Amino acid sequence: MVSMANSGPNKNSSQFFFTYAEQVNLDGKYTVFGHVISGLEVLDDLEKVPTDEKHKPITDIKIRRATIHANPIAEWLMLRTFLLVLLQLHSVGRWTIVII
């Protein structure tokens, strides 16, 4: 998951964080706005960065480049729906489907 937390009252900054697994202790506290769909090896490297007693990285980490997809889940669902319709048409003999 990709999430963002405000740095605190009267501060104009935010912190982004990634989690591998569900973090129920964070429910209702922070906004989750995405998930990683590729580049998990980068997250593996981030997990190895030394942190202090508050789990903050000892050295700053900066994201230099990211690819943002509008909504890959919606795109996948649209494609899935389209394929299901084709399969239904095929099952009643109206289409022949050739997958290349």
Side-chain angles (χ1 to χ4, degrees), residues 37-94:
I37 59 173
S38 66
L40 290 173
E41 63 279 358
V42 175
L43 292 183
D44 291 337
D45 291 342
L46 287 174
E47 286 236 314
K48 297 173 188 169
V49 172
T51 59
D52 63 17
E53 64 280 349
K54 293 183 179 181
H55 307 289
K56 181 179 176 182
I58 293 172
T59 57
D60 286 344
I61 297 173
K62 297 183 187 227
I63 300 171
R64 291 186 283 181
R65 184 172 38 105
T67 302
I68 300 171
H69 298 274
N71 189 341
I73 295 172
E75 292 169 11
W76 180 85
L77 288 173
M78 191 168 32
L79 176 61
R80 180 180 174 271
T81 302
F82 175 72
L83 291 173
L84 287 173
V85 168
L86 284 180
L87 287 172
Q88 288 173 347
L89 290 172
H90 174 69
S91 69
V92 294
R94 295 187 185 188

Coordinates of all heavy atoms in Angstrom, one line a residue, residues 37-94:
I37 N 2.4 -1.8 -8.1 CA 2.1 -2.9 -9.0 C 3.4 -3.4 -9.8 O 3.3 -4.4 -10.4 CB 1.1 -2.5 -10.1 CG1 1.5 -1.3 -10.9 CG2 -0.3 -2.2 -9.4 CD1 0.6 -0.9 -12.0
S38 N 4.5 -2.7 -9.6 CA 5.8 -3.2 -10.1 C 6.9 -2.6 -9.3 O 6.7 -1.6 -8.6 CB 5.9 -3.0 -11.6 OG 6.0 -1.6 -11.8
G39 N 8.1 -3.1 -9.4 CA 9.2 -2.5 -8.7 C 9.3 -2.9 -7.2 O 9.9 -2.2 -6.4
L40 N 8.8 -4.1 -6.9 CA 8.8 -4.5 -5.5 C 10.2 -4.7 -5.0 O 10.5 -4.7 -3.8 CB 8.0 -5.8 -5.3 CG 6.5 -5.6 -5.5 CD1 5.8 -7.0 -5.5 CD2 5.9 -4.7 -4.4
E41 N 11.2 -4.9 -5.9 CA 12.6 -5.1 -5.5 C 13.1 -3.8 -4.8 O 13.9 -3.8 -3.9 CB 13.5 -5.5 -6.6 CG 13.6 -4.5 -7.8 CD 12.4 -4.6 -8.8 OE1 11.5 -5.4 -8.6 OE2 12.4 -3.8 -9.7
V42 N 12.5 -2.7 -5.2 CA 12.9 -1.4 -4.6 C 12.4 -1.4 -3.2 O 13.1 -0.9 -2.3 CB 12.3 -0.2 -5.4 CG1 12.6 1.1 -4.7 CG2 12.9 -0.2 -6.8
L43 N 11.2 -1.9 -3.0 CA 10.7 -1.9 -1.6 C 11.5 -2.9 -0.7 O 11.7 -2.6 0.5 CB 9.2 -2.4 -1.6 CG 8.2 -1.4 -2.2 CD1 6.8 -1.9 -2.0 CD2 8.3 0.0 -1.5
D44 N 12.0 -4.0 -1.3 CA 12.9 -4.9 -0.6 C 14.1 -4.1 -0.1 O 14.6 -4.3 1.0 CB 13.3 -6.0 -1.5 CG 12.1 -7.0 -1.8 OD1 11.1 -7.0 -1.0 OD2 12.2 -7.7 -2.8
D45 N 14.7 -3.3 -1.0 CA 15.8 -2.5 -0.7 C 15.5 -1.5 0.4 O 16.3 -1.2 1.4 CB 16.4 -1.7 -1.9 CG 17.0 -2.7 -2.9 OD1 17.3 -3.8 -2.5 OD2 17.2 -2.3 -4.1
L46 N 14.3 -0.8 0.4 CA 13.9 0.1 1.4 C 13.8 -0.5 2.8 O 14.1 0.1 3.8 CB 12.6 0.8 1.0 CG 12.6 1.8 -0.1 CD1 11.2 2.2 -0.4 CD2 13.4 3.0 0.3
E47 N 13.4 -1.8 2.8 CA 13.3 -2.5 4.1 C 14.6 -2.7 4.7 O 14.7 -2.9 5.9 CB 12.6 -3.8 3.8 CG 11.1 -3.7 3.6 CD 10.3 -4.5 4.6 OE1 10.6 -5.7 4.8 OE2 9.3 -4.0 5.1
K48 N 15.7 -2.7 4.0 CA 17.0 -2.9 4.5 C 17.7 -1.6 5.0 O 18.8 -1.7 5.6 CB 17.9 -3.6 3.4 CG 17.4 -4.9 3.0 CD 18.1 -5.4 1.8 CE 17.5 -6.7 1.3 NZ 18.0 -7.1 0.0
V49 N 17.1 -0.5 4.8 CA 17.7 0.8 5.2 C 17.7 0.9 6.7 O 16.6 0.7 7.4 CB 16.9 2.0 4.6 CG1 17.4 3.3 5.2 CG2 17.1 2.0 3.1
P50 N 18.8 1.2 7.4 CA 18.8 1.3 8.8 C 17.9 2.4 9.3 O 17.8 3.5 8.7 CB 20.3 1.7 9.2 CG 21.1 1.3 7.9 CD 20.1 1.5 6.8
T51 N 17.2 2.2 10.5 CA 16.3 3.1 11.0 C 16.6 3.4 12.5 O 17.4 2.7 13.1 CB 14.8 2.6 11.0 OG1 14.8 1.4 11.7 CG2 14.4 2.4 9.5
D52 N 16.1 4.5 13.0 CA 16.3 4.9 14.4 C 15.2 4.1 15.3 O 14.4 3.3 14.8 CB 16.3 6.4 14.6 CG 14.9 7.0 14.3 OD1 13.9 6.3 14.2 OD2 14.9 8.3 14.1
E53 N 15.1 4.5 16.6 CA 14.2 3.8 17.5 C 12.7 4.1 17.2 O 11.9 3.4 17.6 CB 14.5 4.2 18.9 CG 14.3 5.7 19.3 CD 15.5 6.6 18.8 OE1 16.6 6.1 18.4 OE2 15.3 7.8 18.9
K54 N 12.5 5.1 16.4 CA 11.1 5.4 16.0 C 10.8 4.9 14.6 O 9.8 5.3 13.9 CB 10.9 7.0 16.0 CG 10.9 7.5 17.4 CD 10.6 9.0 17.3 CE 10.6 9.6 18.7 NZ 10.2 11.0 18.7
H55 N 11.7 4.1 14.1 CA 11.5 3.4 12.7 C 11.7 4.4 11.6 O 11.2 4.1 10.5 CB 10.2 2.6 12.6 CG 10.0 1.7 13.7 ND1 10.7 0.5 13.8 CD2 9.2 1.7 14.8 CE1 10.4 -0.1 14.9 NE2 9.4 0.6 15.5
K56 N 12.3 5.5 11.8 CA 12.5 6.5 10.8 C 13.9 6.2 10.2 O 14.9 6.0 10.9 CB 12.5 7.9 11.4 CG 12.7 9.0 10.3 CD 12.6 10.4 10.9 CE 13.0 11.4 9.9 NZ 13.0 12.8 10.4
P57 N 14.0 6.3 8.8 CA 15.4 6.0 8.2 C 16.4 7.0 8.8 O 16.1 8.2 8.9 CB 15.1 6.2 6.7 CG 13.6 6.0 6.6 CD 13.0 6.5 7.8
I58 N 17.6 6.5 9.0 CA 18.7 7.4 9.5 C 19.1 8.4 8.5 O 19.4 9.5 8.8 CB 19.8 6.5 10.0 CG1 19.4 5.7 11.2 CG2 21.1 7.3 10.3 CD1 20.4 4.6 11.7
T59 N 19.1 8.0 7.2 CA 19.4 8.9 6.1 C 18.1 9.1 5.3 O 17.3 8.2 5.2 CB 20.5 8.3 5.2 OG1 20.1 7.0 4.7 CG2 21.8 8.1 5.9
D60 N 18.0 10.3 4.8 CA 16.8 10.6 4.0 C 16.7 9.7 2.8 O 17.7 9.4 2.1 CB 16.8 12.1 3.5 CG 16.5 13.0 4.7 OD1 16.0 12.6 5.7 OD2 16.7 14.2 4.5
I61 N 15.5 9.3 2.4 CA 15.2 8.6 1.2 C 14.3 9.4 0.3 O 13.3 10.0 0.8 CB 14.4 7.3 1.6 CG1 15.3 6.4 2.4 CG2 14.0 6.6 0.3 CD1 14.5 5.2 3.0
K62 N 14.7 9.5 -0.9 CA 14.0 10.4 -1.9 C 13.5 9.5 -3.1 O 14.3 8.7 -3.6 CB 14.9 11.5 -2.4 CG 15.3 12.4 -1.2 CD 16.1 13.6 -1.7 CE 16.6 14.3 -0.5 NZ 16.4 15.7 -0.5
I63 N 12.3 9.7 -3.5 CA 11.8 9.1 -4.7 C 12.2 10.0 -5.8 O 11.7 11.1 -5.9 CB 10.3 8.9 -4.6 CG1 9.9 8.0 -3.4 CG2 9.7 8.3 -5.8 CD1 8.5 7.9 -3.0
R64 N 13.0 9.5 -6.7 CA 13.4 10.2 -7.9 C 12.5 10.1 -9.1 O 12.4 10.9 -9.9 CB 14.9 9.9 -8.3 CG 15.9 10.3 -7.2 CD 17.3 10.1 -7.7 NE 17.5 8.6 -7.5 CZ 18.7 8.1 -7.8 NH1 19.6 8.8 -8.3 NH2 18.8 6.8 -7.6
R65 N 11.9 8.9 -9.2 CA 11.0 8.7 -10.3 C 9.9 7.7 -9.9 O 10.2 6.7 -9.2 CB 11.9 8.1 -11.4 CG 11.1 7.9 -12.7 CD 12.1 7.5 -13.8 NE 13.2 6.6 -13.4 CZ 13.2 5.3 -13.7 NH1 12.3 4.7 -14.4 NH2 14.3 4.6 -13.3
A66 N 8.7 7.9 -10.4 CA 7.6 7.0 -10.2 C 6.7 7.0 -11.4 O 6.6 8.1 -12.1 CB 6.8 7.4 -9.0
T67 N 6.1 5.9 -11.7 CA 5.1 5.9 -12.8 C 3.8 5.8 -12.1 O 3.5 4.9 -11.3 CB 5.4 4.7 -13.7 OG1 6.7 4.8 -14.2 CG2 4.3 4.6 -14.8
I68 N 2.9 6.7 -12.5 CA 1.5 6.7 -11.9 C 0.5 6.3 -12.9 O 0.5 6.9 -14.0 CB 1.2 8.0 -11.3 CG1 2.2 8.4 -10.2 CG2 -0.2 8.1 -10.7 CD1 2.2 9.8 -9.7
H69 N -0.2 5.2 -12.6 CA -1.2 4.7 -13.5 C -2.6 5.3 -13.1 O -2.8 5.4 -11.9 CB -1.3 3.2 -13.5 CG 0.0 2.6 -14.0 ND1 0.2 2.4 -15.3 CD2 1.0 2.2 -13.3 CE1 1.4 1.8 -15.5 NE2 1.9 1.7 -14.3
A70 N -3.4 5.7 -14.0 CA -4.7 6.4 -13.6 C -5.5 5.5 -12.7 O -5.8 5.9 -11.6 CB -5.5 6.7 -14.9
N71 N -5.7 4.3 -13.1 CA -6.4 3.3 -12.3 C -6.3 1.9 -12.9 O -7.2 1.5 -13.6 CB -7.9 3.7 -12.1 CG -8.5 2.8 -11.0 OD1 -8.0 1.8 -10.7 ND2 -9.7 3.3 -10.5
P72 N -5.2 1.3 -12.7 CA -5.0 0.0 -13.3 C -6.0 -1.1 -13.0 O -6.3 -1.9 -13.8 CB -3.6 -0.4 -12.9 CG -3.3 0.3 -11.6 CD -4.1 1.6 -11.8
I73 N -6.6 -1.0 -11.8 CA -7.6 -1.9 -11.4 C -8.9 -1.7 -12.3 O -9.5 -2.7 -12.8 CB -7.9 -1.8 -9.9 CG1 -6.7 -2.2 -9.1 CG2 -9.1 -2.7 -9.5 CD1 -6.8 -2.0 -7.6
A74 N -9.3 -0.5 -12.4 CA -10.4 -0.2 -13.3 C -10.2 -0.6 -14.7 O -11.1 -1.2 -15.4 CB -10.8 1.3 -13.2
E75 N -9.0 -0.4 -15.2 CA -8.7 -0.8 -16.6 C -8.7 -2.3 -16.7 O -9.3 -2.9 -17.6 CB -7.3 -0.3 -17.0 CG -7.2 1.2 -17.1 CD -5.7 1.7 -17.2 OE1 -4.8 0.8 -17.4 OE2 -5.5 2.9 -17.2
W76 N -8.2 -3.0 -15.7 CA -8.3 -4.5 -15.7 C -9.7 -5.0 -15.6 O -10.1 -5.9 -16.3 CB -7.5 -5.0 -14.5 CG -7.5 -6.5 -14.5 CD1 -6.7 -7.4 -15.2 CD2 -8.4 -7.4 -13.7 NE1 -7.0 -8.7 -14.9 CE2 -8.1 -8.7 -14.0 CE3 -9.4 -7.1 -12.9 CZ2 -8.7 -9.8 -13.4 CZ3 -10.1 -8.2 -12.3 CH2 -9.8 -9.5 -12.6
L77 N -10.5 -4.4 -14.8 CA -11.9 -4.8 -14.7 C -12.7 -4.5 -16.0 O -13.5 -5.3 -16.3 CB -12.6 -4.0 -13.5 CG -12.2 -4.5 -12.1 CD1 -12.8 -3.5 -11.1 CD2 -12.6 -5.9 -11.8
M78 N -12.4 -3.4 -16.6 CA -13.0 -3.2 -17.9 C -12.7 -4.2 -18.9 O -13.5 -4.8 -19.7 CB -12.6 -1.8 -18.4 CG -13.5 -1.3 -19.6 SD -13.3 0.4 -20.0 CE -11.6 0.8 -19.6
L79 N -11.4 -4.6 -19.0 CA -10.9 -5.6 -19.9 C -11.5 -7.0 -19.5 O -12.0 -7.7 -20.4 CB -9.4 -5.7 -19.9 CG -8.8 -6.9 -20.7 CD1 -9.1 -6.7 -22.2 CD2 -7.3 -6.9 -20.5
R80 N -11.6 -7.3 -18.3 CA -12.2 -8.5 -17.8 C -13.7 -8.6 -18.2 O -14.2 -9.6 -18.7 CB -12.1 -8.7 -16.3 CG -12.6 -9.9 -15.7 CD -12.4 -9.9 -14.2 NE -13.1 -11.0 -13.5 CZ -14.4 -11.0 -13.1 NH1 -15.1 -9.9 -13.2 NH2 -14.9 -12.0 -12.5
T81 N -14.4 -7.5 -18.0 CA -15.8 -7.5 -18.4 C -16.0 -7.7 -19.9 O -16.8 -8.5 -20.3 CB -16.5 -6.1 -18.0 OG1 -16.3 -6.0 -16.6 CG2 -17.9 -6.1 -18.4
F82 N -15.1 -7.0 -20.7 CA -15.2 -7.2 -22.1 C -14.9 -8.7 -22.5 O -15.7 -9.2 -23.4 CB -14.1 -6.3 -22.8 CG -14.0 -6.4 -24.3 CD1 -15.0 -6.0 -25.1 CD2 -12.9 -7.1 -24.8 CE1 -14.8 -6.1 -26.5 CE2 -12.7 -7.2 -26.2 CZ -13.7 -6.8 -27.0
L83 N -13.9 -9.3 -21.9 CA -13.6 -10.7 -22.2 C -14.8 -11.6 -21.8 O -15.1 -12.6 -22.5 CB -12.3 -11.1 -21.6 CG -11.1 -10.4 -22.2 CD1 -9.8 -10.8 -21.4 CD2 -10.9 -10.8 -23.6
L84 N -15.4 -11.3 -20.7 CA -16.5 -12.2 -20.3 C -17.7 -12.1 -21.2 O -18.4 -13.0 -21.5 CB -17.0 -11.8 -18.9 CG -16.1 -12.2 -17.7 CD1 -16.5 -11.6 -16.4 CD2 -16.0 -13.7 -17.6
V85 N -18.0 -10.9 -21.8 CA -19.0 -10.7 -22.8 C -18.7 -11.5 -24.0 O -19.5 -12.2 -24.6 CB -19.2 -9.2 -23.1 CG1 -20.1 -9.0 -24.3 CG2 -19.8 -8.5 -21.9
L86 N -17.4 -11.4 -24.4 CA -17.0 -12.2 -25.6 C -17.2 -13.7 -25.4 O -17.7 -14.4 -26.3 CB -15.5 -11.9 -26.0 CG -15.2 -10.6 -26.7 CD1 -13.7 -10.5 -26.9 CD2 -16.0 -10.4 -27.9
L87 N -16.8 -14.1 -24.2 CA -17.0 -15.6 -23.9 C -18.5 -16.0 -23.9 O -18.8 -17.0 -24.4 CB -16.3 -15.9 -22.6 CG -14.8 -15.9 -22.6 CD1 -14.3 -16.1 -21.2 CD2 -14.3 -17.0 -23.5
Q88 N -19.3 -15.1 -23.4 CA -20.8 -15.4 -23.4 C -21.3 -15.5 -24.8 O -22.1 -16.3 -25.2 CB -21.5 -14.4 -22.6 CG -21.3 -14.5 -21.1 CD -22.0 -13.4 -20.3 OE1 -22.4 -12.4 -20.9 NE2 -22.0 -13.5 -19.0
L89 N -20.9 -14.5 -25.7 CA -21.3 -14.5 -27.1 C -20.8 -15.8 -27.8 O -21.5 -16.4 -28.6 CB -20.8 -13.3 -27.8 CG -21.4 -12.0 -27.4 CD1 -20.7 -10.8 -28.1 CD2 -22.9 -12.0 -27.8
H90 N -19.5 -16.2 -27.4 CA -19.0 -17.4 -28.0 C -19.8 -18.6 -27.6 O -20.0 -19.5 -28.4 CB -17.5 -17.5 -27.6 CG -16.9 -18.8 -28.1 ND1 -16.6 -19.1 -29.4 CD2 -16.5 -19.9 -27.4 CE1 -16.1 -20.3 -29.5 NE2 -16.0 -20.8 -28.3
S91 N -20.2 -18.6 -26.3 CA -20.9 -19.8 -25.8 C -22.2 -20.0 -26.5 O -22.8 -21.1 -26.5 CB -21.1 -19.7 -24.3 OG -22.0 -18.7 -24.0
V92 N -22.8 -19.0 -27.1 CA -24.1 -19.1 -27.8 C -23.9 -19.2 -29.3 O -24.8 -19.1 -30.1 CB -25.1 -18.0 -27.5 CG1 -25.5 -18.1 -26.0 CG2 -24.6 -16.7 -27.8
G93 N -22.6 -19.4 -29.7 CA -22.3 -19.6 -31.1 C -22.2 -18.4 -32.0 O -22.3 -18.5 -33.2
R94 N -22.1 -17.2 -31.4 CA -22.1 -16.0 -32.2 C -20.7 -15.5 -32.5 O -20.6 -14.6 -33.4 CB -22.9 -14.9 -31.5 CG -24.4 -15.2 -31.3 CD -25.1 -14.1 -30.8 NE -26.5 -14.5 -30.6 CZ -27.5 -13.7 -30.2 NH1 -27.2 -12.4 -30.1 NH2 -28.7 -14.1 -30.1

